[in-house]
Amino acid sequence: MPTSAFIHTTSGLTIEKGSVTWESPSNIALVKYWGKKENQIPANPSISFTLSNCKTITTLYYKKLSSPSDEFQFEVYLEGKKQDDFKPKINTFFKRIEQYVPFIKEFEYKIETSNTFPHSSGIASSASGMSALALCIMSIEKELNPSLTDANFTKKASFLARLGSGSACRSLEGDLVCWGMHKEIKGTSDLFGVKYPYEVHKNFKNYQDTILLVDKGEKQVSSTVGHNLMHNHPYAENRFQQAHDNLSKLIDVFKSGDLKSFIEIVESEALTLHAMMMTSLPYFILMKPNTLEIINKIWSFRETSGLHLCFTLDAGANVHLLYPENEKLEVLDFINSQLVGYCQNGHYICDSIGFGAKLISK
Ligand code: DP6
């Protein structure tokens, strides 16, 4: 599909002002996106579980300007407080999407956003935040073009969200979303996320994700910088091939419900992601001592209990503990008795697989 298919053409309709509210969840990658080409094209395909409780709620107020402006006109508020430090990222997002939604310079905006998780939790809000904002922009497009189908609305929202933050394009739907062309998964694209189209065993229904908050501080190295270090990385080509291979293996795993293989693939992906960081130039480490303590505790508890919990990491020190719903009681007991001590202020967040973004009001 050419990117030109996403360009909005005028319908002749006009809007004076309005507001729209969307909520959009975060997601946790099983096969990781790490490395990108020009225009937010991923270097390898990825797949994620959409989350349910960790989400961003964004209201976009828009008002027609008397004449289109040269600059993007907007103010951003996080939890009611003006947040000027969000502006550069949103400005870059607007610049990248302008050619696809040329009407955006005709309006001025007030963006009001809040997260269900603490901003300073070390949980990346870019996936939920950028997808919520992309959906709000798409609601303006839908007002200008009422014939836009729901399927095309979601596809273009994912396309735009990707231009804000790559992983954001996987947050619109659930429960499993792929992004990046993969030869064995029908409909996959580098341009937007798609719902995983094949059979998924009941073992993976309502899978749980407890996020152990090891370090709530700002990341020392942003994902964007990390992705760029995959250019000229000595292991890049093998890593990209490994992501393709792991996705191929997951097709069988999702079908059969083989939790042992699932654990092996997911943990290997998490450690490979961090291995890429440790072997780039400059090299860096985002795990903290408590991240490793938790990983070792998980391994020994898994060994002794025979349960199917495993971990994954994103670009930070927090640990996502993944497990099937029917093991929830034992795993929560394990967390409370053996892991909370490694979490900053004893904090963790219980989440589970979700089904994507929702329109709250228009
Ligand atoms: C480690 O989507 O945050 O979480 O496209 O530069 O905004 P940008 O990067 P971002 O990268 C996420 C990386 C990851 C893995 C993943 O979610 O697949």
Side-chain angles (χ1 to χ4, degrees):
M1 192 169 180
T3 52
S4 57
F6 290 99
I7 299 174
H8 167 80
T9 47
T10 48
S11 58
L13 288 174
T14 55
I15 313 170
E16 282 313 312
K17 63 179 188 175
S19 71
V20 59
T21 305
W22 277 91
E23 64 166 48
S24 190
S26 185
N27 67 73
I28 181 67
L30 305 170
V31 172
K32 308 291 180 182
Y33 148 57
W34 197 245
K36 59 178 158 180
K37 306 176 198 165
E38 285 264 298
N39 303 321
Q40 294 285 101
I41 298 300
N44 64 261
S46 58
I47 189 165
S48 51
F49 277 149
T50 304
L51 295 181
S52 175
N53 299 334
C54 290
K55 54 195 178 194
T56 298
I57 300 107
T58 297
T59 301
L60 183 68
Y61 297 89
Y62 44 97
K63 191 166 150 217
K64 187 113 177 177
L65 293 161
S66 46
S67 56
S69 140
D70 285 343
E71 302 288 321
F72 299 108
Q73 302 290 337
F74 65 97
E75 295 297 344
V76 204
Y77 294 79
L78 173 69
E79 263 114 48
K81 280 207 200 91
K82 204 150 176 246
Q83 203 75 35
D84 285 342
D85 53 333
F86 282 13
K87 290 184 92 173
K89 195 157 182 181
I90 295 175
N91 206 60
T92 304
F93 173 55
F94 282 167
K95 258 194 219 145
R96 287 183 188 155
I97 66 172
E98 186 187 0
Q99 57 175 309
Y100 305 105
V101 280
F103 55 83
I104 55 168
K105 278 225 176 116
E106 294 171 17
F107 297 91
E108 60 180 346
Y109 305 93
K110 182 177 172 200
I111 304 166
E112 276 182 2
T113 190
S114 61
N115 298 321
T116 57
F117 47 89
H119 182 59
S120 59
S121 59
I123 296 183
S125 56
S126 65
S128 52
M130 283 298 173
S131 52
L133 186 54
L135 283 158
C136 291
I137 303 276
M138 281 309 295
S139 285
I140 303 181
E141 173 156 338
K142 173 84 182 174
E143 227 179 307
L144 291 168
N145 176 14
S147 66
L148 189 67
T149 63
D150 287 352
N152 284 337
F153 181 100
T154 306
K155 190 187 279 188
K156 184 164 172 184
S158 176
F159 174 87
L160 297 181
R162 172 184 59 87
L163 295 169
S165 180
S167 55
C169 78
R170 296 187 313 236
S171 275
L172 291 103
E173 297 176 279
D175 42 357
L176 271 170
V177 177
C178 313
W179 167 42
M181 192 105 80
H182 186 276
K183 65 179 189 318
E184 289 167 59
I185 306 178
K186 210 174 80 215
T188 47
S189 167
D190 287 345
L191 301 178
F192 47 84
V194 293
K195 235 172 106 74
Y196 178 71
Y198 305 128
E199 194 182 333
V200 179
H201 191 276
K202 65 173 179 9
N203 283 353
F204 298 105
K205 296 287 170 205
N206 207 22
Y207 224 71
Q208 305 289 303
D209 179 4
T210 299
I211 308 162
L212 304 162
L213 303 175
V214 170
D215 185 47
K216 303 185 194 173
E218 279 280 306
K219 281 192 266 186
Q220 304 120 301
V221 181
S222 75
S223 292
T224 305
V225 170
H227 285 292
N228 285 332
L229 294 174
M230 288 303 281
H231 296 294
N232 306 317
H233 189 291
Y235 307 130
E237 284 317 309
N238 283 338
R239 158 59 198 153
F240 300 148
Q241 184 55 47
Q242 180 198 37
H244 282 267
D245 297 345
N246 280 340
L247 250 178
S248 297
K249 289 184 198 159
L250 276 180
I251 298 173
D252 291 333
V253 167
F254 285 137
K255 194 168 170 192
S256 66
D258 176 355
L259 290 172
K260 197 165 169 280
S261 303
F262 177 78
I263 290 170
E264 190 174 286
I265 295 165
V266 167
E267 292 191 344
S268 163
E269 275 288 322
L271 293 178
T272 301
L273 168 71
H274 284 258
M276 290 301 109
M277 300 173 189
M278 290 189 240
T279 48
S280 60
L281 267 182
Y283 41 79
F284 59 103
I285 300 180
L286 295 184
M287 290 186 285
K288 297 282 182 200
N290 282 352
T291 312
L292 296 178
E293 293 284 0
I294 289 172
I295 291 173
N296 281 306
K297 289 275 180 202
I298 291 171
W299 283 341
S300 66
F301 181 69
R302 191 163 72 218
E303 180 77 33
T304 53
S305 68
L307 295 174
H308 298 92
L309 65 170
C310 69
F311 70 86
T312 188
L313 307 165
D314 52 25
N318 295 336
V319 179
H320 288 249
L321 186 55
L322 302 176
Y323 49 99
E325 191 185 20
N326 62 5
E327 298 182 0
K328 193 170 168 176
L329 288 180
E330 294 97 319
V331 174
L332 284 176
D333 203 39
F334 161 64
I335 293 170
N336 286 319
S337 61
Q338 296 196 47
L339 302 183
V340 278
Y342 299 110
C343 300
Q344 212 175 329
N345 306 323
H347 284 170
Y348 61 86
I349 296 175
C350 290
D351 211 337
S352 57
I353 285 193
F355 294 90
K358 273 196 221 123
L359 178 64
I360 303 296
S361 68
K362 173 85 191 80

